[in-house]
Amino acid sequence: MQKILILGAGKSSPYLIHYLLEQAEQNDWVITVGDIDLNAARKGVSDHPRGLAVHFDINDRKQLRTLVQAADVVIHMLAPAFQGLIAEECVRLNSHMISASYCNRQVRELSATAEAKGLLLLTEIGLDPGIDHMGAVDLMEKIRGQGGRIKAFRSYGSGIPAPDSRSNPLNYAITWNPWNVAMAGTGGAMYLERGKIKIVPVRRVFSYTWPVEVEGVGTLEAYPNRDSLSYIDLFQLDGVETMIRGTLRYPGWAETWQQIITLGLPTQAMEIPDLQTRTYREVVEMFLPLNPEVGASTVQRLARLLSISPTGRIMDNLVWLGLLSEERITA
């Protein structure tokens, strides 16, 4: 019997849990799902005879070690920030680890030790990143098998609604952790183009876009995704002249998100006092300079700060997102 531990029962986990439980009987697996929200873990397991739901707090190191030590394979589905901690415990306690998150420095530093112990630390194996890597490697192997040489690599990943399922001004739907959506791009981006390294700071990531035609969908907009250079060695692309990994969205997404970045909302550097007692409009007001013009509305002052039209599409999108509502922040 093999024991699989899934840490995290959030938005990205239900299908994984369902799939593994479907396969559990024939493979003699027992699936344990741990989450700080015990009800979410129980919902994922859904009383399956091969499943077990447990309350799990990542800050409880003793519990983490107990669960990891009892598992053959640990699947990390928590926030990316916890990947290194879980990998460290897996290597120390001789458990394999699988993660959908990007491989970070801590995991890379553990790789040699894990390999020496015969342990697998497999990261970036979700939808994006994940499927794009597998498709890229498959294609590159075919090219090399035919004697070809790869001079340029461009890969795009995305998770957007189908063309006939778009239902809001941004043509987007959050099916994963909203925090990750909000913080996407905050690390900036770096890539290689025609032999030149290009760096895009966070303040310009969403203003640096280009059109990409996708068969059956039409024109999408792409922006650079994180550090493309780190994949040159991983994909064995010595001598490549262009290396770009990008993200695709429907046109209009980036111009709106660029203004959210410009305003300064996505940040982990500051903790707003009594946040949960405030409205979204109050928080936006905090980012606006004091206004000597009596009677100017929040919309007018926000438009002036961002240099956008107070009645244009971008402002409509910001209003639709609820950023100017009087609703109180509850989470």
Side-chain angles (χ1 to χ4, degrees):
M1 178 184 296
Q2 286 194 317
K3 298 178 181 179
I4 300 174
L5 171 64
I6 301 174
L7 295 178
K11 290 183 178 293
S12 300
S13 301
Y15 185 80
L16 167 68
I17 297 168
H18 176 73
Y19 174 81
L20 292 178
L21 287 172
E22 273 191 334
Q23 308 296 316
E25 187 68 39
Q26 66 189 66
N27 290 289
D28 197 19
W29 293 339
V30 172
I31 314 297
T32 299
V33 179
D35 195 277
I36 196 165
D37 182 349
L38 181 57
N39 288 329
R42 285 173 173 164
K43 183 178 179 181
V45 170
S46 189
D47 297 322
H48 194 284
R50 289 269 179 165
L52 174 66
V54 298
H55 174 267
F56 170 70
D57 183 347
I58 188 65
N59 296 306
D60 187 340
R61 293 291 290 270
K62 182 178 180 181
Q63 184 193 26
L64 173 61
R65 288 166 182 162
T66 298
L67 290 173
V68 169
Q69 191 166 32
D72 297 296
V73 178
V74 177
I75 303 178
H76 164 245
M77 297 297 290
L78 297 171
F82 301 120
Q83 179 176 249
L85 170 62
I86 293 169
E88 181 181 318
E89 294 298 341
C90 285
V91 171
R92 193 170 71 86
L93 298 170
N94 299 310
S95 297
H96 303 289
M97 186 195 79
I98 298 174
S99 173
S101 298
Y102 281 94
C103 185
N104 60 23
R105 180 176 299 176
Q106 192 173 355
V107 175
R108 290 192 184 97
E109 291 173 351
L110 289 166
S111 294
T113 303
E115 187 174 350
K117 298 179 74 171
L119 297 174
L120 177 68
L121 295 181
L122 181 61
T123 62
E124 303 190 23
I125 196 66
L127 168 64
D128 173 22
I131 290 177
D132 55 336
H133 292 337
M134 292 185 284
V137 171
D138 181 62
L139 179 59
M140 288 187 291
E141 287 183 349
K142 290 177 181 177
I143 292 172
R144 288 163 176 155
Q146 296 171 6
R149 186 171 71 87
I150 299 167
K151 296 178 65 178
F153 179 101
R154 296 180 181 86
S155 172
Y156 299 99
S158 186
I160 56 176
D164 60 355
S165 297
R166 294 180 289 179
S167 60
N168 60 67
L170 288 173
N171 295 319
Y172 191 73
I174 296 177
T175 57
W176 54 315
N177 188 339
W179 173 264
N180 293 340
V181 177
M183 302 308 293
T186 53
M190 183 164 58
Y191 61 93
L192 183 71
E193 187 170 21
R194 288 178 288 178
K196 302 292 185 181
I197 293 175
K198 308 301 292 183
I199 296 175
V200 186
V202 57
R203 67 181 183 275
R204 289 199 291 115
V205 168
F206 295 99
S207 62
Y208 191 90
T209 64
W210 60 92
V212 174
E213 293 298 321
V214 178
E215 185 178 353
V217 177
T219 302
L220 297 179
E221 62 182 7
Y223 61 86
N225 184 19
R226 302 185 185 232
D227 178 10
S228 296
L229 302 186
S230 63
Y231 293 90
I232 293 177
D233 290 339
L234 189 65
F235 289 160
Q236 299 177 356
L237 287 172
D238 293 342
V240 71
E241 297 171 5
T242 295
M243 182 73 189
I244 300 175
R245 295 183 72 254
T247 297
L248 296 176
R249 293 287 184 263
Y250 283 107
W253 163 273
E255 66 178 2
T256 298
W257 205 259
Q258 178 60 50
Q259 299 308 322
I260 293 174
I261 295 290
T262 301
L263 183 60
L265 284 177
T267 178
Q268 301 181 73
M270 295 176 290
E271 184 174 332
I272 297 174
D274 304 316
L275 179 62
Q276 293 187 346
T277 68
R278 304 181 187 279
T279 67
Y280 289 96
R281 181 184 289 268
E282 280 183 275
V283 172
V284 169
E285 284 276 1
M286 294 177 185
F287 288 84
L288 302 180
L290 286 175
N291 180 40
E293 182 183 344
V294 178
S297 69
T298 303
V299 168
Q300 292 171 319
R301 290 159 51 225
L302 178 61
R304 189 175 299 122
L305 175 68
L306 300 177
S307 299
I308 62 174
S309 168
T311 57
R313 181 171 69 171
I314 295 175
M315 184 61 73
D316 287 345
N317 288 345
L318 297 178
V319 171
W320 179 84
L321 284 169
L323 294 180
L324 301 180
S325 77
E326 297 296 346
E327 180 184 349
R328 291 202 176 276
I329 297 171
T330 57

